Amino acid sequence: KLQFLYLIGRTMLRRAAAQLGPLKTHVAESYTHPLKVAAAKPVYQREHCPGGSFDGLGELMAQTDQAYLEENPLVIPHWYEPVGIVNHPTLRVADDGSTVYEDRPRSYDMQRRQIDLYFEEGAVGRALAEPAKPPVVIDAGANIGLFAREVIARRSAAAPGAAPAEVWCIEPIPATQVALRLNLEAYLPPQRPKVLPFALGRSHGFETYHVKRGSSPTATSRPEDCVSQAAAIAALADAGVAAEGLAASFRSQRADPVECEVRPLSAVIAAHGMPYISLLKVDVEGAELDALLGIDDAHWPLIDAVVVEVHNQDGTRLAAVERLLAQHGLNHQKARQPAAHTELMLLWAARTPW
């Protein structure tokens, strides 16, 4: 714990020394650990973008992202208002014997089974197996990085000696990013995934996310129509966690509002010059359609395969996502319900059969 606090403090001092001037400093209050983190706010935040417009700021975004990616992996995300709440990550042993940091209790249990399900369809494995073409993978809704770690492991197994996968982890919740970065620290560049600290949507702007204090995997900007609570309970039950009384406890947990930046995926593709996308994974707790609608027509041909968690609470969203993907050439599709008693669906789509 002392080493973790030392590294955080050292990073804060370096950032303060480098970014004094046009940037303002904010303080994030912790509710689970007495840790206060100073954080700077970049020049393209809300007050510099009247009406939420970011037109003409693509180059600035790319430069700021690059500087962010080159910093110490333990740096606390800093372009939020409020910055958000920082938890003290806890270390546990994963099923395969490795260690994993959790930002909330049971984060690993809630995600492990679904991560395995993502890879049960051949479209995902095929995207990672081409030895001559290093896969580019976008992990939207990366949470603590379990999917990214699995991508790295499966790429190494499927194509020994080949170039590693290039993984981009998109995660908007500041507290979750701390555990995410710790979980990716063991990988050396170029294998180490890159973390982008914002959410995906139709256009640039800001949205308020509601983060359950006991369940970061269910953080959502769509609490009114999201079925994440039921899904989380089902996932915990399937993972062997005692389910008795869990539903009432989960519903009673306080949800803290955290304002996060939102960008369209096309802006990310353009800013970072991605030549192609072997696999796009979308798990964004009810905002999946908005995330996909943030892809311009010019960028759809770059995407070879998609796996998306769909919150089909009204019975129409799955069909809407299927139509959108088919419209852009991802015609080979398969949908499956990952857990009983929920309206969640996993949807795989690719340009060629698998």
Short mmCIF file of all heavy atoms in Angstrom, two decimals, residues 31 104-106 110 210-219 228-229 232-233 236 245-257:
data_model
loop_
_atom_site.label_atom_id
_atom_site.label_comp_id
_atom_site.label_asym_id
_atom_site.label_seq_id
_atom_site.Cartn_x
_atom_site.Cartn_y
_atom_site.Cartn_z
N TYR A 31 -14.25 7.60 -1.43
CA TYR A 31 -15.26 7.16 -0.48
C TYR A 31 -14.92 5.81 0.11
O TYR A 31 -15.57 5.35 1.04
CB TYR A 31 -16.65 7.10 -1.14
CG TYR A 31 -16.72 6.24 -2.37
CD1 TYR A 31 -16.73 4.87 -2.29
CD2 TYR A 31 -16.81 6.83 -3.62
CE1 TYR A 31 -16.81 4.09 -3.42
CE2 TYR A 31 -16.89 6.06 -4.75
CZ TYR A 31 -16.89 4.68 -4.65
OH TYR A 31 -16.99 3.92 -5.79
N ARG A 104 -13.27 -2.87 -7.46
CA ARG A 104 -14.38 -3.14 -6.55
C ARG A 104 -14.37 -4.62 -6.21
O ARG A 104 -13.91 -5.44 -7.00
CB ARG A 104 -15.74 -2.82 -7.19
CG ARG A 104 -15.90 -1.44 -7.77
CD ARG A 104 -16.02 -0.38 -6.69
NE ARG A 104 -16.67 0.82 -7.18
CZ ARG A 104 -16.09 1.73 -7.95
NH1 ARG A 104 -14.85 1.55 -8.34
NH2 ARG A 104 -16.75 2.82 -8.33
N PRO A 105 -14.88 -5.00 -5.04
CA PRO A 105 -14.97 -6.42 -4.73
C PRO A 105 -15.78 -7.16 -5.80
O PRO A 105 -16.80 -6.68 -6.27
CB PRO A 105 -15.69 -6.45 -3.38
CG PRO A 105 -15.41 -5.11 -2.78
CD PRO A 105 -15.37 -4.16 -3.94
N ARG A 106 -15.30 -8.33 -6.21
CA ARG A 106 -15.98 -9.21 -7.14
C ARG A 106 -15.99 -8.72 -8.58
O ARG A 106 -16.71 -9.27 -9.41
CB ARG A 106 -17.42 -9.49 -6.68
CG ARG A 106 -17.51 -10.19 -5.33
CD ARG A 106 -18.95 -10.31 -4.88
NE ARG A 106 -19.05 -11.04 -3.62
CZ ARG A 106 -20.16 -11.09 -2.89
NH1 ARG A 106 -21.25 -10.47 -3.31
NH2 ARG A 106 -20.18 -11.77 -1.76
N MET A 110 -17.50 -11.07 -11.68
CA MET A 110 -18.61 -10.61 -12.51
C MET A 110 -18.28 -10.66 -14.00
O MET A 110 -19.17 -10.74 -14.84
CB MET A 110 -19.02 -9.19 -12.11
CG MET A 110 -19.64 -9.10 -10.73
SD MET A 110 -20.05 -7.40 -10.30
CE MET A 110 -21.31 -7.05 -11.50
N HIS A 210 -23.25 6.70 -13.94
CA HIS A 210 -23.67 6.34 -12.60
C HIS A 210 -22.92 5.07 -12.21
O HIS A 210 -23.10 4.02 -12.82
CB HIS A 210 -25.18 6.12 -12.57
CG HIS A 210 -25.95 7.34 -12.99
ND1 HIS A 210 -26.42 8.28 -12.09
CD2 HIS A 210 -26.27 7.81 -14.23
CE1 HIS A 210 -27.03 9.25 -12.76
NE2 HIS A 210 -26.95 8.99 -14.05
N VAL A 211 -22.07 5.20 -11.18
CA VAL A 211 -21.17 4.12 -10.80
C VAL A 211 -21.60 3.55 -9.47
O VAL A 211 -21.55 4.24 -8.44
CB VAL A 211 -19.72 4.64 -10.70
CG1 VAL A 211 -18.76 3.48 -10.42
CG2 VAL A 211 -19.32 5.37 -11.98
N LYS A 212 -22.06 2.31 -9.48
CA LYS A 212 -22.42 1.64 -8.24
C LYS A 212 -21.17 1.43 -7.39
O LYS A 212 -20.14 1.00 -7.89
CB LYS A 212 -23.05 0.28 -8.53
CG LYS A 212 -24.48 0.36 -9.07
CD LYS A 212 -25.47 0.60 -7.95
CE LYS A 212 -26.91 0.49 -8.47
NZ LYS A 212 -27.89 0.69 -7.41
N ARG A 213 -21.28 1.71 -6.11
CA ARG A 213 -20.09 1.62 -5.25
C ARG A 213 -19.56 0.20 -5.13
O ARG A 213 -18.39 0.01 -4.83
CB ARG A 213 -20.42 2.18 -3.88
CG ARG A 213 -20.66 3.67 -3.92
CD ARG A 213 -20.65 4.31 -2.55
NE ARG A 213 -20.64 5.75 -2.65
CZ ARG A 213 -20.51 6.56 -1.62
NH1 ARG A 213 -20.39 6.05 -0.41
NH2 ARG A 213 -20.52 7.86 -1.79
N GLY A 214 -20.38 -0.78 -5.36
CA GLY A 214 -19.91 -2.15 -5.26
C GLY A 214 -19.75 -2.83 -6.59
O GLY A 214 -19.50 -4.03 -6.65
N SER A 215 -19.90 -2.09 -7.72
CA SER A 215 -19.93 -2.78 -9.01
C SER A 215 -19.56 -1.85 -10.15
O SER A 215 -20.41 -1.33 -10.85
CB SER A 215 -21.33 -3.36 -9.26
OG SER A 215 -21.40 -3.94 -10.53
N SER A 216 -18.27 -1.67 -10.40
CA SER A 216 -17.86 -0.83 -11.52
C SER A 216 -18.20 -1.42 -12.88
O SER A 216 -18.41 -0.66 -13.83
CB SER A 216 -16.35 -0.55 -11.44
OG SER A 216 -15.61 -1.72 -11.72
N PRO A 217 -18.28 -2.76 -13.07
CA PRO A 217 -18.65 -3.27 -14.39
C PRO A 217 -20.04 -2.85 -14.83
O PRO A 217 -20.38 -3.00 -16.01
CB PRO A 217 -18.56 -4.80 -14.22
CG PRO A 217 -17.59 -4.99 -13.11
CD PRO A 217 -17.85 -3.85 -12.18
N THR A 218 -20.88 -2.35 -13.92
CA THR A 218 -22.22 -1.93 -14.30
C THR A 218 -22.34 -0.41 -14.40
O THR A 218 -23.45 0.11 -14.49
CB THR A 218 -23.26 -2.45 -13.27
OG1 THR A 218 -22.99 -1.86 -12.00
CG2 THR A 218 -23.18 -3.96 -13.16
N ALA A 219 -21.22 0.31 -14.41
CA ALA A 219 -21.27 1.77 -14.57
C ALA A 219 -21.96 2.09 -15.90
O ALA A 219 -21.62 1.54 -16.94
CB ALA A 219 -19.87 2.36 -14.53
N SER A 228 -28.32 -3.73 -16.31
CA SER A 228 -27.06 -4.21 -15.77
C SER A 228 -27.19 -4.80 -14.38
O SER A 228 -26.43 -5.68 -14.00
CB SER A 228 -26.04 -3.08 -15.75
OG SER A 228 -26.54 -1.97 -15.05
N GLN A 229 -28.15 -4.31 -13.58
CA GLN A 229 -28.29 -4.86 -12.24
C GLN A 229 -28.65 -6.33 -12.29
O GLN A 229 -28.03 -7.17 -11.64
CB GLN A 229 -29.35 -4.07 -11.46
CG GLN A 229 -28.92 -2.65 -11.13
CD GLN A 229 -29.93 -1.96 -10.24
OE1 GLN A 229 -31.00 -2.48 -9.99
NE2 GLN A 229 -29.58 -0.80 -9.77
N ALA A 232 -25.70 -8.33 -13.57
CA ALA A 232 -24.64 -8.51 -12.60
C ALA A 232 -25.00 -9.60 -11.60
O ALA A 232 -24.16 -10.44 -11.24
CB ALA A 232 -24.39 -7.19 -11.86
N ILE A 233 -26.23 -9.60 -11.16
CA ILE A 233 -26.66 -10.61 -10.20
C ILE A 233 -26.58 -12.00 -10.82
O ILE A 233 -26.10 -12.96 -10.21
CB ILE A 233 -28.09 -10.31 -9.72
CG1 ILE A 233 -28.08 -9.01 -8.90
CG2 ILE A 233 -28.65 -11.45 -8.89
CD1 ILE A 233 -29.45 -8.43 -8.66
N LEU A 236 -22.90 -13.05 -11.13
CA LEU A 236 -22.36 -13.46 -9.84
C LEU A 236 -22.85 -14.84 -9.45
O LEU A 236 -22.10 -15.68 -8.96
CB LEU A 236 -22.75 -12.44 -8.78
CG LEU A 236 -21.95 -11.13 -8.77
CD1 LEU A 236 -22.60 -10.13 -7.84
CD2 LEU A 236 -20.52 -11.38 -8.36
N GLY A 245 -30.00 -12.81 -1.07
CA GLY A 245 -29.99 -11.43 -0.58
C GLY A 245 -29.19 -10.48 -1.44
O GLY A 245 -29.11 -9.29 -1.14
N LEU A 246 -28.58 -10.98 -2.51
CA LEU A 246 -27.71 -10.14 -3.33
C LEU A 246 -28.50 -9.08 -4.09
O LEU A 246 -28.07 -7.94 -4.22
CB LEU A 246 -26.93 -11.01 -4.31
CG LEU A 246 -25.92 -10.29 -5.21
CD1 LEU A 246 -24.88 -9.57 -4.37
CD2 LEU A 246 -25.25 -11.28 -6.14
N ALA A 247 -29.68 -9.44 -4.59
CA ALA A 247 -30.46 -8.50 -5.39
C ALA A 247 -30.81 -7.25 -4.60
O ALA A 247 -30.62 -6.12 -5.06
CB ALA A 247 -31.72 -9.18 -5.90
N ALA A 248 -31.33 -7.44 -3.37
CA ALA A 248 -31.71 -6.29 -2.55
C ALA A 248 -30.50 -5.45 -2.19
O ALA A 248 -30.54 -4.22 -2.22
CB ALA A 248 -32.40 -6.77 -1.28
N SER A 249 -29.38 -6.11 -1.90
CA SER A 249 -28.15 -5.38 -1.56
C SER A 249 -27.67 -4.57 -2.74
O SER A 249 -27.27 -3.41 -2.60
CB SER A 249 -27.08 -6.37 -1.11
OG SER A 249 -25.84 -5.73 -0.96
N PHE A 250 -27.72 -5.16 -3.94
CA PHE A 250 -27.24 -4.48 -5.13
C PHE A 250 -28.08 -3.25 -5.43
O PHE A 250 -27.56 -2.17 -5.74
CB PHE A 250 -27.26 -5.46 -6.31
CG PHE A 250 -26.50 -4.97 -7.50
CD1 PHE A 250 -25.15 -5.24 -7.62
CD2 PHE A 250 -27.12 -4.23 -8.49
CE1 PHE A 250 -24.43 -4.78 -8.72
CE2 PHE A 250 -26.41 -3.78 -9.58
CZ PHE A 250 -25.07 -4.06 -9.69
N ARG A 251 -29.38 -3.39 -5.34
CA ARG A 251 -30.26 -2.25 -5.63
C ARG A 251 -30.09 -1.11 -4.64
O ARG A 251 -30.31 0.05 -4.97
CB ARG A 251 -31.72 -2.72 -5.66
CG ARG A 251 -32.10 -3.50 -6.91
CD ARG A 251 -33.60 -3.68 -7.00
NE ARG A 251 -34.11 -4.50 -5.91
CZ ARG A 251 -34.24 -5.83 -5.97
NH1 ARG A 251 -33.90 -6.47 -7.07
NH2 ARG A 251 -34.71 -6.50 -4.95
N SER A 252 -29.70 -1.46 -3.42
CA SER A 252 -29.58 -0.43 -2.38
C SER A 252 -28.25 0.31 -2.44
O SER A 252 -28.08 1.33 -1.76
CB SER A 252 -29.75 -1.06 -0.99
OG SER A 252 -28.66 -1.93 -0.71
N GLN A 253 -27.30 -0.17 -3.22
CA GLN A 253 -26.00 0.49 -3.28
C GLN A 253 -26.13 1.87 -3.93
O GLN A 253 -26.83 2.04 -4.92
CB GLN A 253 -25.02 -0.35 -4.10
CG GLN A 253 -24.60 -1.63 -3.42
CD GLN A 253 -23.75 -2.48 -4.33
OE1 GLN A 253 -23.36 -2.05 -5.40
NE2 GLN A 253 -23.45 -3.70 -3.90
N ARG A 254 -25.43 2.82 -3.36
CA ARG A 254 -25.45 4.17 -3.89
C ARG A 254 -24.72 4.23 -5.23
O ARG A 254 -23.69 3.61 -5.42
CB ARG A 254 -24.79 5.12 -2.90
CG ARG A 254 -24.67 6.54 -3.43
CD ARG A 254 -24.06 7.45 -2.39
NE ARG A 254 -23.71 8.73 -2.97
CZ ARG A 254 -23.13 9.72 -2.28
NH1 ARG A 254 -22.84 9.55 -1.01
NH2 ARG A 254 -22.83 10.85 -2.86
N ALA A 255 -25.27 4.97 -6.15
CA ALA A 255 -24.62 5.21 -7.45
C ALA A 255 -24.06 6.62 -7.46
O ALA A 255 -24.79 7.59 -7.28
CB ALA A 255 -25.61 5.02 -8.58
N ASP A 256 -22.76 6.74 -7.64
CA ASP A 256 -22.11 8.04 -7.65
C ASP A 256 -22.03 8.58 -9.07
O ASP A 256 -21.62 7.86 -9.99
CB ASP A 256 -20.70 7.94 -7.07
CG ASP A 256 -20.72 7.60 -5.60
OD1 ASP A 256 -21.04 8.49 -4.80
OD2 ASP A 256 -20.43 6.44 -5.26
N PRO A 257 -22.41 9.84 -9.30
CA PRO A 257 -22.33 10.43 -10.64
C PRO A 257 -20.89 10.84 -10.97
O PRO A 257 -20.22 11.48 -10.15
CB PRO A 257 -23.25 11.64 -10.55
CG PRO A 257 -23.20 12.04 -9.11
CD PRO A 257 -23.01 10.77 -8.32
#
